[in-house]
């Protein structure tokens, strides 16, 4: 297994403990380039000249995960290689990204990363992002940056639903309003494929080599999916461009791993009180860190190996391991924990019944995995349990359950199909599906409201309310479940679990398992 980077150099001292600190948020030092020299000497800051860095990477979808993961790797790289050509220009496409724009603009694109564990909190300032573009402000500026020869890699964290991939058929969702808009307005796109094709078309016309498209989202074969979807879009826009993209653009697969909860007001306060930094949008993360990348690039890449990235010819076993063990477990934790009335992941993991269910889900999934070079799966699963139980991360359950209609097929249903083919057990996989159906009813076992955040929440919640403990109407959503509704074993298992969840509640269902 790829080892995490050495511990950050900052530890929380008694003086900086929020329980006995007199530092207030109002007195904290506003983070920007001018203030770096005024921060505490126990906070690592960029030692390289950020103005000597060329932005060879454009990242679309700058959020907490990118800033705690890919940008951290590059920050470490710049400490070893000042004056690098692999700086990051961040891009936000959605109105939601205004907060990121405003925060980074006010801080010269600097931000604080805090690694949290029971042993203490460690902070550093990350300088790898040197520019940020908010597409609704100036769409042409984004296209110009992507078309610039200096741009050699485009990385993506646009969430599972951002690929417009139809699960049931594996095809491109050509009828999505964003796709249709971008096809009709190629010079003023709003979606990721519209921007990428506009830039790639200009590069083709000017005989500039294409950039590499590197998906960093939790998708099995994320590079393969990005290739298929972008090529399909380009083909619809211009057949010659579509052929050029298929022939010339590299789409390496990769596996990413670091638990990174959404930034909360409490995190902002913690950074001010413990580290005396006024940061509008810090990011917190666990100590664990891993990135496995297929070594297939159109126009070069950084020497990522020098900072701990594992380059390989085959990412598939690693991504299968992570998606089917970590991400599937996250879904089970999210649904059961929400139904039981918990708020945080570490609270759920302190419940022996749910913790046992997570253990058994991972045991059930393991036979569907290929051997993973250099990985002891038993040790990996043990590490996952420890990571989930980290009380300092305070990862909230709604984040795990977000956009489940896109996550469920990718994280759980592939394992179900393989287990059915192998004649293996599907008890806890089908429990995960049933727990999702019960969760979609929108109330926990105590009758409290559960907000459902999903692109097709209207359809899902309506079916959940109408069908109750009958699983078949939801299982008949072929865009999610494909032909699994034709498996009597799977349908019966989900139906039985769902009936028990409605009758007994989450905890009693597990006690009776």
């Amino acid at each position: 297994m790829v080892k995490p980077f050495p511990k950050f150099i900052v530890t929380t001292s008694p003086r900086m403990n929020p329980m006995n600190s007199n530092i207030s948020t109002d007195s904290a030092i506003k983070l920007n380039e001018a203030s770096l020299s005024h921060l505490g000497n126990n906070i690592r800051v960029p030692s390289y000249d950020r103005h000597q860095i060329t932005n060879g990477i454009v990242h679309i979808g700058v959020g907490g995960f990118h800033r705690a993961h890919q940008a951290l790797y590059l920050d470490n790289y710049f400490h070893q290689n000042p004056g690098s050509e692999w700086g990051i220009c961040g891009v936000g496409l959605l109105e939601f990204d205004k907060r990121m724009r405003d925060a980074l603009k006010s801080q010269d694109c600097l931000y604080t990363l805090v690694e949290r564990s029971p042993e203490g909190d460690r902070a550093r300032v990350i300088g790898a992002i040197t520019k940020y573009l908010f597409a609704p402000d100036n769409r042409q500026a984004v296209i110009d940056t992507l078309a610039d020869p200096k741009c050699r890699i485009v990385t993506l964290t646009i969430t599972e639903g951002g690929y417009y991939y139809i699960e049931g058929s594996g095809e491109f969702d050509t009828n999505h309003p964003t796709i249709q808009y971008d096809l009709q307005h190629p010079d003023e796109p709003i979606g990721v494929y519209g921007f990428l094709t506009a830039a790639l078309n200009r590069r083709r016309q000017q005989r500039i080599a294409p950039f590499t498209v590197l998906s960093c989202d939790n998708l099995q074969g994320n590079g393969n999916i990005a290739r298929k979807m972008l090529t399909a879009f380009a083909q619809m826009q211009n057949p010659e461009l579509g052929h050029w993209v298929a022939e010339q653009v590299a789409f390496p697969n990769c596996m990413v791993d670091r638990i990174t909860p959404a930034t909360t007001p409490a995190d902002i306060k913690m950074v001010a009180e413990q580290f005396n930094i006024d940061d509008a949008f810090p990011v917190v993360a666990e100590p664990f860190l891993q990135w496995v990348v297929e070594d297939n690039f159109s126009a070069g890449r950084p020497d990522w190996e020098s900072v701990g990235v594992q380059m390989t010819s085959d990412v598939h076993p690693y991504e299968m391991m992570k998606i089917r063990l970590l991400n599937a477990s996250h879904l089970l934790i999210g649904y059961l924990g929400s139904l039981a009335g918990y708020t945080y992941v570490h609270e759920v993991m302190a419940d022996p019944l749910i913790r046992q269910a997570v253990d058994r889900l991972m045991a059930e999934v393991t036979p569907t995995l290929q051997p993973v070079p250099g990985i002891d799966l038993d040790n990996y699963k043990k590490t996952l349990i420890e990571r989930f139980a980290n009380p300092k991360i305070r990862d909230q359950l709604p984040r795990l359950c977000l956009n489940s209609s896109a996550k469920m097929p990718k994280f759980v249903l592939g394992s179900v199909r393989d287990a059915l083919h192998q004649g293996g057990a599907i008890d806890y996989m089908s429990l995960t599906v049933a727990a999702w159906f019960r969760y979609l009813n929108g109330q926990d076992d105590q009758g409290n409201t559960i907000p459902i955040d999903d692109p097709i929440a209207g359809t899902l919640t309506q079916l959940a309310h109408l069908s109750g403990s009958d699983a078949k109407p939801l299982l008949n959503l072929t865009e999610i479940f494909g032909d699994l509704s034709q498996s009597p074993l799977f349908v019966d298992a989900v139906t039985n679990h769902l009936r028990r969840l409605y009758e007994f509640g989450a905890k009693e269902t597990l006690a009776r398992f």
Side-chain angles (χ1 to χ4, degrees), residues 378-454:
D378 288 336
N379 184 62
Y380 180 79
K381 288 183 284 188
K382 179 181 177 182
T383 300
L384 287 181
I385 296 295
E386 294 171 352
R387 293 168 63 192
F388 296 155
N390 183 348
K392 297 298 291 291
I393 291 300
R394 300 182 67 80
D395 202 4
Q396 298 190 34
L397 299 182
R399 185 188 75 85
L400 277 55
C401 303
L402 180 72
N403 299 338
S404 286
S405 62
K407 292 176 178 177
M408 180 62 66
K410 300 172 179 69
F411 300 165
V412 177
L413 300 186
S415 299
V416 171
R417 289 188 171 86
D418 287 349
L420 289 171
H421 179 74
Q422 296 169 1
I426 59 167
D427 290 335
Y428 286 88
M429 293 183 240
S430 55
L431 173 65
T432 306
V433 176
W436 180 40
F437 290 175
R438 170 63 186 85
Y439 172 89
L440 288 172
N441 191 268
Q443 285 190 331
D444 66 17
D445 292 337
Q446 295 75 41
N448 301 309
T449 299
I450 300 175
I452 307 300
D453 193 343
D454 193 283

Side-chain angles (χ1 to χ4, degrees), residues 163-348:
Y163 289 83
Y164 306 104
Y165 172 78
I166 301 173
E167 285 294 337
S169 65
E171 298 304 316
F172 184 47
D173 186 2
T174 58
N175 294 320
H176 192 281
T178 296
I179 301 303
Q180 287 299 313
Y181 179 92
D182 282 358
L183 288 171
Q184 296 166 26
H185 304 85
D187 297 326
E188 285 290 324
I190 60 174
V192 64
Y193 299 135
F195 281 103
L196 293 178
T197 53
L200 286 168
N201 191 44
R202 187 186 300 178
R203 294 174 80 116
R204 180 179 69 95
Q205 293 172 342
Q206 296 178 0
R207 300 184 182 278
I208 299 170
F211 45 69
T212 295
V213 176
L214 175 59
S215 168
C216 300
D217 282 297
N218 281 317
L219 298 163
Q220 183 177 325
N222 48 17
N224 298 336
I225 290 174
R227 175 193 296 277
K228 185 174 182 178
M229 301 303 108
L230 179 59
T231 302
F233 180 90
Q235 181 75 25
M236 294 174 68
Q237 191 180 86
N238 179 337
E240 290 184 5
L241 175 62
H243 179 75
W244 186 80
V245 169
E247 291 291 320
Q248 300 295 325
V249 180
F251 296 84
N253 295 299
C254 84
M255 184 271 268
V256 297
D257 192 2
R258 188 171 221 193
I259 296 174
T260 309
T263 300
T264 67
D267 296 325
I268 296 172
K269 183 179 180 182
M270 176 271 295
V271 170
E273 292 181 338
Q274 290 186 221
F275 300 103
N276 200 26
I277 301 175
D278 176 6
D279 188 333
F281 212 151
V283 60
V284 300
E286 65 171 339
F288 184 91
L289 184 70
Q290 189 175 22
W291 195 8
V292 184
V293 184
E294 184 179 76
D295 201 354
N296 173 30
F297 288 76
S298 305
R301 62 169 178 83
D303 178 19
W304 272 317
E305 297 96 327
S306 66
V307 288
V309 181
Q310 183 173 348
M311 306 302 298
T312 181
S313 61
D314 186 10
V315 172
H316 184 68
Y318 298 92
E319 66 185 0
M320 290 276 283
M321 172 190 72
K322 191 256 180 170
I323 287 172
R324 294 191 174 190
L325 293 175
L326 185 153
N327 295 113
S329 296
H330 261 172
L331 292 184
L332 185 60
I333 290 168
Y335 306 140
L336 291 178
S338 296
L339 293 174
Y342 294 115
T343 301
Y344 298 102
V345 174
H346 69 274
E347 295 176 331
V348 179

Side-chain angles (χ1 to χ4, degrees), residues 455-501:
I456 57 171
T459 298
L460 294 171
T461 55
Q462 182 180 28
L463 282 173
H465 289 144
L466 291 174
S467 56
S469 61
D470 181 4
K472 290 182 181 178
L474 283 162
L475 288 173
N476 284 331
L477 291 171
T478 55
E479 63 269 33
I480 296 174
F481 292 96
D483 60 356
L484 277 174
S485 62
Q486 306 305 310
S487 168
L489 184 63
F490 176 64
V491 172
D492 288 347
V494 174
T495 299
N496 290 334
H497 290 316
L498 183 58
R499 177 180 55 79
R500 294 188 185 102
L501 286 167

Side-chain angles (χ1 to χ4, degrees), residues 15-289:
R15 180 182 63 83
M16 301 179 73
N17 190 304
M19 298 303 294
N20 57 26
S21 172
N22 293 321
I23 295 173
S24 69
T25 303
D26 293 337
S27 66
I29 299 171
K30 177 60 183 175
L31 180 61
N32 53 43
E33 281 197 343
S35 69
L36 287 178
S37 61
H38 301 290
L39 301 182
N41 59 12
N42 51 359
I43 298 171
R44 186 179 185 185
V45 300
S47 63
Y48 50 88
D49 184 350
R50 298 173 73 228
H51 299 280
Q52 297 301 313
I53 293 174
T54 303
N55 288 327
I57 298 175
V58 174
H59 181 83
I60 299 177
V62 176
F65 182 77
H66 169 71
R67 294 186 298 144
H69 191 271
Q70 298 103 42
L72 170 62
Y73 278 102
L74 268 299
D75 190 73
N76 278 284
Y77 184 76
F78 299 152
H79 278 279
Q80 298 179 14
N81 301 274
S84 172
E85 59 188 345
W86 298 110
I88 302 170
C89 173
V91 172
L93 302 183
L94 308 175
E95 287 298 316
F96 174 81
D97 295 317
K98 277 185 177 179
R99 182 187 170 198
M100 186 65 69
R101 174 201 64 184
D102 294 344
L104 292 181
K105 182 178 180 181
S106 70
Q107 297 175 181
D108 299 322
C109 290
L110 297 166
Y111 61 91
T112 312
L113 170 61
V114 181
E115 179 189 84
R116 310 203 75 184
S117 72
E119 289 73 37
D121 296 344
R122 300 170 177 86
R124 66 188 287 178
V125 174
I126 304 295
I129 301 174
T130 63
K131 185 177 181 181
Y132 186 85
L133 299 173
F134 181 58
D137 285 344
N138 189 339
R139 301 186 189 284
Q140 199 58 49
V142 175
I143 296 172
D144 292 345
T145 300
L146 290 164
D148 191 309
K150 292 192 291 292
C151 172
R152 296 161 66 186
I153 300 174
V154 176
T155 53
L156 307 174
T157 49
I158 54 177
T159 77
E160 296 84 0
Y163 289 83
Y164 306 104
Y165 172 78
I166 301 173
E167 285 294 337
S169 65
E171 298 304 316
F172 184 47
D173 186 2
T174 58
N175 294 320
H176 192 281
T178 296
I179 301 303
Q180 287 299 313
Y181 179 92
D182 282 358
L183 288 171
Q184 296 166 26
H185 304 85
D187 297 326
E188 285 290 324
I190 60 174
V192 64
Y193 299 135
F195 281 103
L196 293 178
T197 53
L200 286 168
N201 191 44
R202 187 186 300 178
R203 294 174 80 116
R204 180 179 69 95
Q205 293 172 342
Q206 296 178 0
R207 300 184 182 278
I208 299 170
F211 45 69
T212 295
V213 176
L214 175 59
S215 168
C216 300
D217 282 297
N218 281 317
L219 298 163
Q220 183 177 325
N222 48 17
N224 298 336
I225 290 174
R227 175 193 296 277
K228 185 174 182 178
M229 301 303 108
L230 179 59
T231 302
F233 180 90
Q235 181 75 25
M236 294 174 68
Q237 191 180 86
N238 179 337
E240 290 184 5
L241 175 62
H243 179 75
W244 186 80
V245 169
E247 291 291 320
Q248 300 295 325
V249 180
F251 296 84
N253 295 299
C254 84
M255 184 271 268
V256 297
D257 192 2
R258 188 171 221 193
I259 296 174
T260 309
T263 300
T264 67
D267 296 325
I268 296 172
K269 183 179 180 182
M270 176 271 295
V271 170
E273 292 181 338
Q274 290 186 221
F275 300 103
N276 200 26
I277 301 175
D278 176 6
D279 188 333
F281 212 151
V283 60
V284 300
E286 65 171 339
F288 184 91
L289 184 70

